[in-house]
């Protein structure tokens, strides 16, 4: 498949895209970015083709347990998808723009829809570990932006963010969840830089400011994907109560464990979304 002009606009993904194109001309319709503890959702795709991120020139290294550092092409419900099992975060020391490398790469490979999943702490009263929350909107609480710096395109300099998570798509997914009897909440996600968890006072402040859940990812990917004109959907797995809301201390192992627990519901929902 020829490398198109949009790829040249995002020069740092060009070599990785070229490397993949030398092995396959599969064009993913969908990209699914897998959050902490959710990596195994890619395990049962048909016709898998796996690239380890260290094979891909320029791909930032993922250093977090629960993020395998792989790009997996596959078929799901008969559609070409690509799973990003190698999410990277700013707290690993990457510059904001580097975090969006996988998004720019899957866009260059042809994906125009992206489904972002993550593990998040529940802030809204009534949220419990194991619940799923469709991201309706977000707050960039990290106050930095992966789109800063020279605008290499193809997106606009000042992308609109009035509906980053496609409202029509959100209502379709709510209908699907209802049919599948999968409980699904809807809410606003707050992005923090991490890596420390929040203090109880921070959680109270975020709640007052309109957040329902908090996590250390997703927002930079959304900003980049929207700027590229992609359709975005976000689903958070609530893995714990926000700091100070429960009795336990927060621990990444617990976050991974709950991620595994709701995997089945999430997997059924993802399949239904792709089929739909
Ligand atoms: N805070 C921030 N990020 C998280 C949390 C949390 O409580 N849980 C999972 N990711």
């Amino acid at each position: 498949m020829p490398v198109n002009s949009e790829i040249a606009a995002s020069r740092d993904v060009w070599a990785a895209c070229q490397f993949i194109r030398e092995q396959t001309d599969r064009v993913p319709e969908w990209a699914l970015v897998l959050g902490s503890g959710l990596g195994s959702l890619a395990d049962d795709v048909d016709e898998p083709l796996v690239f380890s991120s260290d094979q891909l020139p320029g791909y930032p290294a993922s250093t977090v347990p629960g993020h395998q550092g792989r790009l997996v092409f596959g078929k799901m419900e008969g559609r070409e998808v690509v799973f990003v099992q190698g999410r990277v975060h700013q707290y690993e020391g990457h510059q904001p723009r580097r975090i969006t490398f996988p998004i720019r790469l899957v866009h260059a490979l042809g994906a125009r829809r992206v489904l972002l999943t993550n593990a998040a702490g529940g802030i809204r009263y009534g949220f419990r570990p194991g619940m799923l929350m469709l991201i309706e909107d977000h707050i960039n609480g990290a106050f930095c932006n992966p789109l800063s710096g020279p605008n290499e395109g193809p997106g606009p300099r000042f992308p609109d963010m009035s509906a980053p998570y496609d409202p029509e798509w959100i209502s379709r997914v709510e209908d699907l969840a209802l049919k599948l009897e999968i409980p699904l909440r809807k809410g606003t996600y707050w992005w923090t830089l991490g890596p420390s968890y929040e203090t109880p006072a921070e959680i109270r402040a975020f709640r007052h400011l309109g957040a329902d859940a908090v996590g250390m990812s997703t927002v930079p990917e959304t900003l980049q994907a929207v700027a590229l004109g992609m359709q975005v959907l976000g689903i958070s797995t609530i893995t714990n109560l926000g700091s100070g809301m429960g009795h336990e201390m927060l621990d990444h192992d617990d976050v991974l464990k709950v991620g595994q627990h709701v995997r089945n519901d999430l997997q059924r929902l993802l399949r239904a979304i792709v089929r739909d």
Side-chain angles (χ1 to χ4, degrees):
M1 189 199 183
V3 173
N4 68 37
S5 59
E6 287 185 350
I7 297 167
S10 198
R11 265 173 254 135
D12 59 336
V13 303
W14 193 87
C17 190
Q18 190 85 317
F19 179 87
I20 292 169
R21 283 290 164 248
E22 278 159 16
Q23 337 261 328
T24 181
D25 58 5
R26 289 167 75 166
V27 176
E29 252 181 88
W30 286 78
L32 297 104
V33 179
L34 300 177
S36 294
L38 303 172
S40 63
L41 291 177
D43 288 350
D44 63 335
V45 285
D46 303 321
E47 301 172 37
L49 174 66
V50 180
F51 294 92
S52 142
S53 59
D54 50 21
Q55 284 178 287
L56 301 174
Y59 201 108
S62 176
T63 60
V64 190
H67 291 274
Q68 283 156 293
R70 306 193 313 169
L71 213 60
V72 181
F73 284 73
K75 283 211 161 152
M76 203 170 151
E77 303 296 317
R79 298 189 180 248
E80 280 290 345
V81 298
V82 61
F83 284 94
V84 176
Q85 278 182 321
R87 173 178 261 154
V88 286
H89 308 79
Q90 201 153 326
Y91 60 75
E92 295 174 79
H94 300 295
Q95 289 301 310
R97 183 171 159 77
R98 298 278 294 147
I99 299 169
T100 64
F101 184 99
I103 298 297
R104 287 180 288 112
L105 177 58
V106 296
H107 177 266
L109 291 165
R112 293 294 177 267
R113 288 177 161 183
V114 59
L115 205 160
L116 303 166
T117 64
N118 63 44
I123 293 184
R124 194 196 301 173
Y125 292 122
F127 274 12
R128 294 275 167 267
M131 286 180 171
L132 295 174
M133 182 190 89
L134 255 181
I135 303 179
E136 196 176 25
D137 203 346
H138 72 226
I139 298 172
N140 181 351
F143 302 108
C144 61
N145 196 308
L147 306 175
S148 347
N151 183 27
E152 296 185 330
R157 173 74 287 190
F158 302 108
D160 174 66
M161 287 295 152
S162 51
Y165 305 89
D166 197 313
E168 219 174 284
W169 208 9
I170 287 178
S171 68
R172 284 178 82 100
V173 172
E174 286 185 289
D175 288 346
L176 287 174
L178 214 56
K179 274 191 209 131
L180 293 169
E181 300 185 356
I182 296 174
L184 189 60
R185 272 79 182 170
K186 222 170 30 173
T188 297
Y189 177 88
W190 180 290
W191 178 34
T192 58
L193 281 183
S196 49
Y197 287 112
E198 299 69 38
T199 64
E202 284 165 347
I203 293 293
R204 288 195 300 275
F206 297 171
R207 186 184 308 111
H208 279 297
L209 292 172
D212 299 298
V214 58
M216 304 175 196
S217 67
T218 304
V219 171
E221 292 147 336
T222 300
L223 295 171
Q224 179 66 80
V226 171
L228 289 170
M230 298 172 87
Q231 262 186 306
V232 180
L233 194 72
I235 303 180
S236 294
T237 299
I238 305 299
T239 53
N240 55 278
L241 296 179
S243 169
M245 296 177 68
H247 301 296
E248 287 110 48
M249 309 237 308
L250 300 184
D251 185 327
H252 185 60
D253 286 342
D254 295 332
V255 167
L256 294 181
K257 258 184 242 152
V258 179
Q260 280 159 18
H261 189 243
V262 285
R263 218 174 31 205
N264 286 350
D265 273 357
L266 193 54
Q267 185 141 23
R268 282 200 302 137
L269 188 59
L270 295 190
R271 280 192 173 279
I273 293 171
V274 171
R275 191 168 51 234
D276 185 53

